[in-house]
């Protein structure tokens, strides 16, 4: 009997537990959609100087809408980023300066204890100024055995460690920067020729990372963004547009000043890259990429710079034993850090000599929006190290992306499409330069909210190379315009060279952003509506909850006609609403299902 009672008691407790849990779960579950009352955002971002205006660029000829990267309606699209942790804390072999060391303590703490006895290294090498298949590299000159440390006078090496019986049990790769006599010779000769032709000699460091929209940088790389913008007064180009689809057709305008199809030759080795112009005037050049399979460099057969990491990166890629953690790590180092370390050696070596570098990274950021978070710590550490050690005191830094995310669910939404067009571009000039040339600083700040493109970066690089102050005369509009001059207020997308497909807004009429009641549809083509009334709700962007879809004016064709695009296309109760010519009132049956659109949208939506 007592047993029976305690059994009932247990059942009862279990039921109460399930009820409470269910209620709680329901609460959370429903709470998710209480958009109207919620002030919740994806992250706290009080530290950002986020523009309050509805447009990032708001000029007479061009408007680029501002979309809050943290808007609640986008929340479900984004996952929390996680930090990167390479499996090994202490590498068995590591480098410092031009020396490599064996860390026996780390050996003893690993499975290699009592097995590994010594190491040797080989040189990874390609001929310079010679056409070879872009995956070509040679491994040669195996060194003598070493058990403690050894100095390296080569650029790239592969280290292998062995058991007493000669079985190799460990491999790693390292890069070094040494003076190259022929390069120094060329640089000195060219430098003398152009010695007194310009007012300032600035070094240039260009670092690109694949597929990061400015908005996604604010979401997932905010520490790096804050550091560069708040501590080093980086110019943050809000209106920086890509001009074509993917990496290659955007990097070519930036580095050659032309669209790919405007170049007469498809022999890419003949392209006159901007770094060649720097080289001709006395600069050493550097070109590196992390992932050889993604690389821009795959299209070329001649090394793209005096210092060029492709042979190392191809050799590393081909070795299956060194990679860990989704190919983010090479033993204890990230792949990104390996390239940054090479860049650091280069920038440090030539700190007081003219040098140019171009580096592209794709491994961490190319495929998944939230993986960009992994890159944040890495770049923050890198920039802090560089600035604090004064490595950049004479260098202009361009830290940028080529385009936003080009795949996935988010890319199908209006904000996703918009972000794809708006990669980040941060430019840091040395502080002494900004002080000495206040007009340049003023222009850069104005241009941060003008329509800009990779073509302008090309013109800016040309301007920096021949810097003799800035002319006072009126600047004439061109496709490539130096950002050291003021970009004209009335510049259009056409004039900036943005391909029609990438237009954001063609013309601007004075219609305030906000929420509009849509009365009739206008059958010109899908998605164009005549606006009858609008509600004066604070400008901003969309949000949706169970019964509300917020629309974003996309494209203004003529007075009173705006194309609206629903920003948000998927949730439990709002079913996909394809852009098209629908009459919007109440219940409609559309192919995807049933939904309701309220007529009046309250002002506390935002
Ligand atoms: C590693 O282990 C070996 C043999 O077990 C020993 O001789 C050596 O001192 C150890 N080294 C370190 C740094 O712990
Ligand atoms: C653009 O602005 C310039 C300078 O204010 C002016 O001279 C020019 O006519 C304008 N162009 C157009 C197309 O409005």
């Amino acid at each position: 009997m007592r047993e029976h009672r305690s059994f009932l008691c247990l059942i009862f407790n279990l039921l109460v537990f399930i009820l409470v849990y269910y209620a709680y779960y329901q609460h959370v579950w429903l709470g998710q959609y209480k958009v109207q009352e919620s002030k919740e955002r994806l992250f706290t971002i009080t530290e950002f100087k986020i523009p309050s205006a509805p447009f990032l660029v708001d000029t007479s000829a061009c408007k680029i809408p501002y979309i809050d990267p943290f808007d609640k309606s986008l929340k479900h699209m984004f996952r929390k980023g996680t930090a990167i942790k390479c499996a090994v804390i202490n590498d068995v072999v590591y480098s410092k300066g031009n020396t490599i060391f064996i860390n026996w303590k780390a050996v003893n703490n690993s499975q290699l204890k009592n097995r590994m006895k010594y190491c040797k290294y080989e040189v990874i090498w390609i001929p310079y100024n010679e056409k070879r298949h872009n995956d070509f590299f040679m491994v040669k000159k195996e060194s003598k055995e070493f058990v403690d440390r050894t100095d390296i006078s080569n650029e790239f090496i592969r280290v292998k460690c062995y058991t007493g019986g000669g079985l190799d049990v460990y491999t790693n790769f390292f890069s070094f920067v040494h003076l190259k006599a022929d390069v120094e010779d060329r640089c000195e000769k060219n430098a003398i020729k152009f010695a007194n032709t310009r007012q300032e000699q600035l070094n240039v460091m260009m670092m690109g990372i694949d597929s990061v929209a400015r908005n996604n940088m604010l979401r997932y790389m905010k520490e790096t963004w804050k550091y560069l913008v708040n501590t080093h007064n980086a110019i943050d180009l809000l209106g920086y547009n890509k001009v074509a689809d993917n990496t290659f057709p955007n990097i070519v305008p930036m580095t050659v000043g032309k669209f790919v199809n405007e170049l007469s030759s498809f022999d890419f080795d003949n392209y006159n890259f901007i770094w060649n112009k720097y080289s001709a005037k006395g600069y050493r050049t550097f070109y590196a990429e992390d992932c050889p399979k993604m690389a821009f460099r795959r299209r070329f057969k001649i090394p793209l710079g005096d210092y060029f990491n492709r042979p190392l990166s191809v050799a590393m890629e081909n070795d299956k034993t060194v990679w860990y953690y989704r190919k983010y790590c090479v033993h204890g180092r990230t792949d990104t850090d390996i390239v940054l370390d090479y860049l650091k050696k280069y920038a440090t070596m030539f700190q007081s000599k003219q040098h140019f570098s171009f580096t592209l990274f794709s491994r961490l950021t190319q495929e998944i929006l939230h993986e960009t978070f992994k890159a944040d710590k890495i770049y923050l550490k890198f920039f802090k190290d560089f600035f604090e050690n004064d490595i950049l005191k004479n260098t202009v830094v361009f830290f940028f992306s080529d385009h936003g995310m080009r795949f996935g669910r988010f890319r199908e939404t209006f904000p996703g499409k918009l972000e794809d067009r708006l990669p980040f571009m941060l430019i840091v000039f040395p502080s002494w330069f900004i002080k000495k040339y206040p007009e340049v600083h003023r222009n850069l700040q104005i241009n941060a909210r003008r329509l800009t493109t990779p073509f302008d970066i090309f013109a800016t690089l040309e301007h920096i190379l021949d810097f003799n102050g800035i002319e006072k005369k009126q600047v004439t509009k061109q496709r490539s315009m130096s950002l050291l001059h003021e970009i004209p207020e009335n510049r259009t997308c056409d004039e900036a060279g943005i391909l029609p497909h990438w237009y954001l807004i063609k013309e601007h009429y004075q219609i305030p952003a906000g929420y509009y009641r849509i009365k009739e549809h206008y059958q010109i083509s899908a998605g164009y509506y005549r606006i009858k009334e609008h509600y004066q709700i604070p400008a901003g962007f969309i949000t949706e909850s169970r019964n509300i879809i917020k629309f974003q004016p996309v494209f203004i064709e003529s007075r009173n006609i705006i194309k609206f695009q629903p920003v948000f296309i998927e949730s439990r109760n709002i079913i996909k609403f394809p852009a098209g010519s629908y009459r919007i009132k109440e219940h409609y049956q559309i192919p995807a299902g049933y939904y309701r659109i309220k007529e009046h949208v309250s002002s506390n939506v935002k």
Side-chain angles (χ1 to χ4, degrees):
M1 188 65 190
R2 186 175 293 166
E3 270 170 32
H4 189 64
R5 203 183 297 160
S6 71
F7 179 69
L8 278 178
C9 190
L10 185 74
I11 294 288
F12 179 74
N13 280 337
L14 204 64
L15 282 175
V16 168
F17 175 75
I18 288 170
L19 199 69
V20 168
Y21 182 80
Y22 184 68
Y24 177 72
Y25 179 74
Q26 279 290 307
H27 173 72
V28 172
W29 189 70
L30 293 174
Q32 252 188 340
Y33 293 99
K34 284 185 184 166
V35 180
Q36 276 149 294
E37 291 90 61
S38 175
K39 289 263 188 300
E40 191 193 341
R41 313 182 98 203
L42 194 52
F43 300 99
T44 36
I45 45 138
T46 45
E47 62 271 53
F48 287 146
K49 300 175 207 156
I50 290 250
S52 55
F55 295 98
L56 293 167
V57 170
D58 188 1
T59 57
S60 55
C62 172
K63 285 199 157 227
I64 299 175
Y66 165 63
I67 286 185
D68 181 349
F70 308 100
D71 192 278
K72 182 65 167 47
S73 69
L74 304 176
K75 182 172 177 165
H76 71 294
M77 297 267 181
F78 297 98
R79 285 174 49 191
K80 224 174 142 72
T82 54
I84 204 165
K85 270 206 193 97
C86 292
V88 193
I89 294 161
N90 293 306
D91 266 328
V92 164
V93 178
Y94 64 96
S95 78
K96 211 171 179 183
N98 288 331
T99 309
I100 52 171
F101 299 84
I102 300 177
N103 182 347
W104 286 107
K105 209 170 147 195
V107 175
N108 288 358
N109 282 332
S110 77
Q111 294 170 337
L112 297 175
K113 184 179 180 175
N114 294 331
R115 292 183 68 216
M116 187 180 128
K117 299 294 178 199
Y118 63 90
C119 306
K120 292 181 181 181
Y121 72 87
E122 297 153 296
V123 176
I124 294 167
W125 182 84
I126 56 167
Y128 282 74
N129 303 318
E130 228 181 79
K131 277 196 185 186
R132 289 293 172 109
H133 184 270
N134 57 45
D135 279 345
F136 177 81
F137 69 94
M138 282 169 77
V139 180
K140 56 180 202 174
K141 287 192 204 159
E142 191 168 38
S143 75
K144 291 204 197 78
E145 300 169 8
F146 64 96
V147 291
D148 176 25
R149 63 165 72 184
T150 187
D151 292 335
I152 307 293
S153 58
N154 309 94
E155 265 192 293
F156 306 117
I157 61 162
R158 176 168 77 188
V159 178
K160 286 191 172 212
C161 300
Y162 299 87
T163 62
L167 190 69
D168 70 77
V169 287
Y170 177 88
T171 305
N172 211 336
F173 295 85
F174 297 92
S175 48
F176 304 88
V177 171
H178 301 284
L179 286 180
K180 296 180 178 181
D182 55 338
V183 173
E184 290 309 299
D185 206 41
R186 183 201 75 213
C187 288
E188 269 160 41
K189 277 187 193 140
N190 288 341
I192 290 168
K193 252 190 278 176
F194 295 96
N196 296 313
T197 60
R198 59 194 115 119
Q199 222 162 294
E200 306 291 352
Q201 288 181 0
L202 292 164
N203 302 317
V204 173
M205 185 168 96
M206 303 191 72
M207 286 174 58
I209 57 179
D210 205 322
S211 306
V212 183
R214 179 176 178 275
N215 266 6
N216 211 43
M217 182 180 209
L218 297 181
R219 288 186 198 103
Y220 293 114
M221 286 184 72
K222 56 180 179 166
E223 296 305 324
T224 308
W225 188 90
K226 276 192 296 185
Y227 180 71
L228 292 175
V229 172
N230 297 341
T231 311
H232 293 286
N233 296 311
I235 300 297
D236 178 17
L237 296 186
L238 305 186
Y240 183 70
N241 271 253
K242 69 174 188 177
V243 291
D245 194 14
N246 56 15
T247 306
F248 189 70
N250 283 295
I251 296 294
V252 169
M254 173 190 273
T255 55
V256 187
K258 296 211 163 94
F259 277 119
V260 174
N261 62 13
E262 290 169 346
L263 291 158
S264 55
S265 153
F266 270 101
D267 188 354
F268 299 131
D269 291 310
N270 295 337
Y271 282 18
N272 189 14
F273 286 105
I274 185 71
W275 48 82
N276 296 343
K277 300 186 183 194
Y278 275 76
S279 168
K281 294 196 172 176
Y283 284 68
R284 291 115 196 113
T285 61
F286 173 104
Y287 185 96
E289 288 186 62
D290 59 347
C291 181
K293 289 204 172 120
M294 305 281 187
F296 182 51
R297 155 64 190 135
R298 287 176 90 189
R299 299 171 185 255
F300 304 87
K301 295 192 172 63
I302 295 175
L304 288 175
D306 300 323
Y307 294 84
F308 180 66
N309 81 329
R310 187 164 177 92
L312 179 89
S313 95
V314 174
M316 225 158 71
E317 193 77 17
N318 289 355
D319 192 317
K320 304 271 180 291
T321 69
V322 300
W323 296 95
Y324 296 91
Y325 193 45
R326 303 189 55 190
K327 273 210 163 185
Y328 292 156
C329 301
V330 176
H331 292 294
R333 296 173 296 166
T334 63
D335 184 32
T336 308
D337 270 323
I338 290 174
V339 179
L340 290 175
D341 178 59
Y342 180 49
L343 177 59
K344 183 181 174 180
K345 283 174 172 151
Y346 170 79
T348 310
M349 167 79 85
F350 298 113
Q351 227 177 112
S352 54
K353 291 179 173 174
Q354 297 169 67
H355 64 278
F356 182 103
S357 68
F358 188 92
T359 317
L360 271 184
F361 297 88
S362 54
R363 187 102 63 190
L364 281 179
T365 55
Q366 219 242 354
E367 275 166 13
I368 303 168
L369 287 161
H370 63 262
E371 289 294 68
T372 299
F373 181 76
K374 290 187 167 36
D376 196 18
K377 264 206 174 110
I378 297 175
Y379 291 106
L380 178 67
K381 183 165 162 277
F382 170 84
F383 282 118
K384 276 192 166 163
D385 180 22
F386 265 53
F387 279 108
E388 282 163 17
N389 289 304
D390 252 1
I391 298 171
L392 299 173
K393 60 177 183 286
N394 221 11
T395 301
V396 188
V397 178
F398 293 81
F399 187 44
F400 62 92
S401 188
D402 45 2
H403 49 74
M405 187 54 68
R406 294 179 47 246
F407 318 97
R409 196 155 69 102
F410 179 59
R411 177 59 175 71
E412 299 307 311
T413 67
F414 174 73
K417 290 192 171 92
L418 188 65
E419 287 190 16
D420 174 21
R421 287 148 211 225
L422 298 169
F424 78 89
M425 171 59 79
L426 297 174
I427 309 174
V428 188
F429 278 85
S431 52
W432 64 262
F433 181 84
I434 288 300
K435 280 203 196 88
K436 191 168 169 187
Y437 300 98
E439 331 82 272
V440 171
H441 193 210
R442 170 194 167 272
N443 292 344
L444 288 167
Q445 286 176 314
I446 291 171
N447 294 340
R449 309 219 42 171
R450 295 269 156 96
L451 179 63
T452 52
T453 73
F455 285 112
D456 302 327
I457 301 305
F458 179 79
T460 308
L461 291 166
E462 282 190 317
H463 195 168
I464 290 171
L465 177 59
D466 293 317
F467 186 79
N468 275 314
I470 55 171
E471 303 114 54
K472 294 274 186 279
K473 69 175 163 57
Q474 183 72 43
V475 174
T476 51
K477 282 188 196 169
Q478 279 165 33
R479 188 173 67 179
S480 302
M481 301 189 71
S482 166
L483 297 172
L484 308 187
H485 293 135
E486 184 183 326
I487 300 286
E489 196 273 343
N490 55 11
R491 185 187 214 193
T492 65
C493 287
D494 270 332
E495 290 160 345
I498 300 171
L499 295 178
H501 178 51
W502 309 111
Y503 278 176
L504 291 175
I505 291 190
K506 210 171 177 183
E507 290 176 62
H508 162 55
Y509 293 95
Q510 283 299 344
I511 301 169
Y515 297 82
Y516 297 84
R517 182 207 297 260
I518 296 165
K519 270 280 180 71
E520 308 168 27
H521 72 293
Y522 193 76
Q523 283 287 16
I524 296 173
S525 60
Y528 290 79
Y529 299 94
R530 182 191 297 278
I531 307 307
K532 275 291 171 68
E533 306 168 37
H534 74 266
Y535 293 93
Q536 279 294 359
I537 291 162
F541 121 103
I542 324 350
T543 218
E544 66 73 45
S545 77
R546 209 183 286 255
N547 295 317
I548 297 170
I549 295 183
K550 188 172 171 185
F551 289 85
Q552 178 83 10
V554 180
F555 193 89
I556 303 169
E557 276 281 286
S558 70
R559 210 172 297 272
N560 296 334
I561 298 173
I562 297 187
K563 179 183 179 182
F564 281 89
Q565 178 121 8
V567 160
F568 181 85
I569 54 166
E570 220 184 295
S571 89
R572 203 161 296 268
N573 291 317
I574 296 191
I575 315 211
K576 191 164 177 172
F577 175 66
S581 44
Y582 298 97
R583 182 191 298 269
I584 298 170
K585 243 179 174 183
E586 282 214 2
H587 271 291
Y588 277 89
Q589 195 169 9
I590 52 173
Y594 295 91
Y595 64 99
R596 175 197 291 267
I597 293 179
K598 276 193 179 169
E599 287 204 335
H600 182 74
V601 180
S602 71
S603 58
N604 62 4
V605 166
K606 188 157 166 79

